[in-house]
Each structure stands twice: as C-alpha cells, then as structure tokens.
Amino acid sequence: MEDIKGGIVMANLKFRLIKEGVGPKGGVPLNIAFIDIRDIKEAGITIEHAFNAISKEVNGPIGMNVFDMDAVTTTSDGIAVDGAIIAMAAGDIGKVHKEFGILYMEEIPVTDELISEEPHLIQLVKNYQGKRLFRGPDPRKKLIPVHNAVMTGKAVNNNSATEMMNAVTMKEIILPILGQIQIMRDGPILFGYTGEVISVGIGMTVAEKYGRVFPTRQFRAGDTAHGSGQYAKTLKKNIPCIVASKAILAKYTIQALKAGMVPGKDIGCSPAVLCIAKAMGVPIAFDNITEKAWVELESVGITREFLKAKSRVLTEDEIIERSDEIVPGVEEPVAMSSMDIVEKVEIFV
C-alpha cells in the first residue's frame, strides 16, 4: 500500500484464527484462518497478499478461507445460505505455494437458464434477490485434477474449503459451510465427531455447475454421491467437525422448504432435511429417491416407514426450539460459542 508520495504505508489486516490443537475432540489438526473480504479491502491489499501475510505470521500449517458475507452459496444438499467462501489457501512454514496453494471460487451468474437447470436456485430469487453466487472453482482454472483442493507443505484445504487436514499427522476436520458462516458471525457452533448420520448426509448432494465437490452436475437430488451402501455411514464417522447449531440448520432448511423446495426432487435427501420436512408436514419426493440412497438412509434409521408415519405437524418456532431433538447428526457434540475457540487477530501488512 502506497501513500501519495510513493512511500510504503503499513496497514492492519484483521482475521479470525483457530490455533492448531484448540477445541475438544483433540482440537483442530492445523491452524485455520477465516478472513472477511471487507477487511482485505480495508487494508488495501490483494487476497494473495493477505494469504501470504497470514501464513508468515502463523508460521505453521494453516488452512485459510476468504468470505464475502454479502454473497450467497448453497450447502451440499442444496440449501441456500447467505455468506460465501470466495477464495481458499493452504500455507506452511510461513509460505503459500505459488502454484498449488491458492484457489478462487467462481462467481456464477444467476440467470433464468441456470435456475431452469438447477431448480433449487429458485431460493435465490425468493430469498436472496440480487446476491452474488459462489460455490466451487471453475475446473479450467485449477491445476490439481479431480479435487477442489490446495496444499502447501503439511497443510491441505479440500472440497472448496470445507475439509482441512494435516498431511503429516493424517488428521483432518470437516467444516461444513454453515458452521464456518457462524464463526464469521461469532455465532453458536457444535464441535463434535462427524458420526454416521452426517457421513450419510454428505453424500446426498444436488446437481450443480461448479459445485463445492463436483465441477459438473454429476448427482441429482434424490441420489447419493457415495453409492457405498452400508459403508457410507462409516466414511467420516470418526473425524471431528465444526458445524452450526441445529437451530441454525433448522432455520435455513425451513426457509428452503417454505420456498417450495421438495426433498429428493429439488434439494438433497439428507437425513437433516428429511427430518425437518417430516416435522413440517411438507412433501417429500419418496419415489424420486434412488434405492442406493435409501440403503444409506436406512442404515442410519431414516426409513420410509419413519418418514411416512403420522405425527403432529410442528410450527417453525417449535421445530427450531426442538431442533436438537428433531435434527439428527453429530456425535458427542459440544455446544459452544465460536468465540470460545476463535481468536481475533490483527497484523501489519
């Protein structure tokens, strides 16, 4: 940053940091930084400069995500949420790999054609009109094939910044987007083990262009991206995760269902979505859910019989109030404020 005479002026960069080892369940396996694009702009620097400055400051394995809190994104099962990751990085020993260390998410213009191809995006028209949409990167602009990942030294940041790992200790953590958004808002989170239900739910995706995991429209709503039967529930079972409180998850899911989204048809058939839909008494596209998906759902107790069984329809407030009872997922959860594990850091850049 230069002043009007061409001299260098030091600026401050603010970010949130979870230090390696902090938190229950053994803590996070590497340092994790959460950066607001507004703070980068206020410092008068580029995203790349910010990543390098933070990596130099921490001087250890670190995953870094930049957020635009005025943009929108979707969860893996197609729920629209406000707040989006727009860039991701991995650093170590004070450096960020020039080729493989940074990746930018692609802005996706929201057009009538896109909405016709991805019906779950009608949520943007109804709830987030005019907001910019980001999910994953353009595959033509990344060097690492298949995975939307970056790496430097021991640090790996994967699946468009929702899964991080230490490549030496082989420990990892799952970071669903809603949990990260709560960290950016200093909100409530659950820190626990991913468990069987979320392991199954992660696979119940929707077909999206430039998706967080898949670059093309590979698995439609009602199908499973895992296709691993009874084993699906074991895939991430013992890995720690940081997720939003179940009340927050319920709020966004209810918003999607009120926008007319039908689980198994428009949005994914994850256990959380199905259980909230049952509680609301709204339609579920039972016949559009594939047999492969049913095998995985039934392995964690989400059966046709359970979902079709008559029960009192709950109000939105009741569902949110009873969300810990209604919404399955997360084993051995520890409820906390994100500020219990997050430090707010300010450095000169």
Side-chain angles (χ1 to χ4, degrees), residues 189-266:
I189 56 171
L190 296 177
F191 199 133
Y193 291 111
T194 301
E196 296 182 350
V197 170
I198 294 180
S199 290
V200 167
I202 288 171
M204 305 302 175
T205 60
V206 291
E208 294 181 320
K209 177 183 179 181
Y210 304 157
R212 192 167 286 112
V213 179
F214 303 106
T216 58
R217 299 185 178 108
Q218 200 163 342
F219 298 98
R220 65 166 177 82
D223 200 2
T224 168
H226 287 151
S228 49
Q230 295 281 337
Y231 293 102
K233 65 183 180 182
T234 69
L235 294 177
K236 304 290 184 180
K237 178 179 178 179
N238 298 316
I239 298 173
C241 65
I242 299 174
V243 302
S245 69
K246 292 187 178 181
I248 295 292
L249 176 58
K251 184 190 87 167
Y252 280 102
T253 305
I254 290 168
Q255 180 175 269
L257 296 172
K258 287 178 65 179
M261 299 296 99
V262 178
K265 175 177 173 286
D266 304 309

Side-chain angles (χ1 to χ4, degrees), residues 77 79 197-198 200-201 204 246 249-251 253-254 257 262-264 267-286 289 294 297-298 300-309 311-316 318-320 322-329:
D77 47 12
I79 306 298
V197 170
I198 294 180
V200 167
M204 305 302 175
K246 292 187 178 181
L249 176 58
K251 184 190 87 167
T253 305
I254 290 168
L257 296 172
V262 178
I267 54 177
C269 53
S270 67
V273 167
L274 292 174
C275 288
I276 293 169
K278 172 180 168 59
M280 283 185 71
V282 298
I284 295 171
F286 289 100
I289 298 175
W294 278 121
L297 289 166
E298 289 169 357
V300 291
I302 308 299
T303 65
R304 295 173 178 87
E305 293 73 24
F306 163 72
L307 293 170
K308 291 181 178 181
S311 58
R312 184 173 72 85
V313 173
L314 302 180
T315 66
E316 296 171 32
E318 286 176 317
I319 293 170
I320 291 171
R322 295 172 54 186
S323 57
D324 287 332
E325 167 193 343
I326 294 167
V327 182

Side-chain angles (χ1 to χ4, degrees), residues 24-61:
K25 317 305 175 188
V28 297
L30 73 172
N31 302 284
I32 306 174
F34 307 83
I35 314 121
D36 194 319
I37 187 62
R38 289 173 293 195
D39 290 321
I40 293 176
K41 290 179 178 178
E42 187 175 326
I45 60 175
T46 65
I47 290 175
E48 183 176 356
H49 186 165
F51 283 147
N52 280 284
I54 292 170
S55 183
K56 183 177 180 181
E57 176 71 18
V58 173
N59 197 32

Side-chain angles (χ1 to χ4, degrees), residues 8 18 43 46 74 82 90 129 131 151 170 173 176 178 181 185 189 226 256-257 263 272-273 275 278 337 339:
I8 300 299
I18 305 178
T46 65
T74 53
D82 48 338
Q129 185 72 48
K131 297 278 189 179
M151 56 186 70
M170 297 300 288
I173 189 160
L178 263 180
I181 289 171
R185 292 182 176 141
I189 56 171
H226 287 151
L257 296 172
V273 167
C275 288
K278 172 180 168 59
S337 165
M339 293 310 298

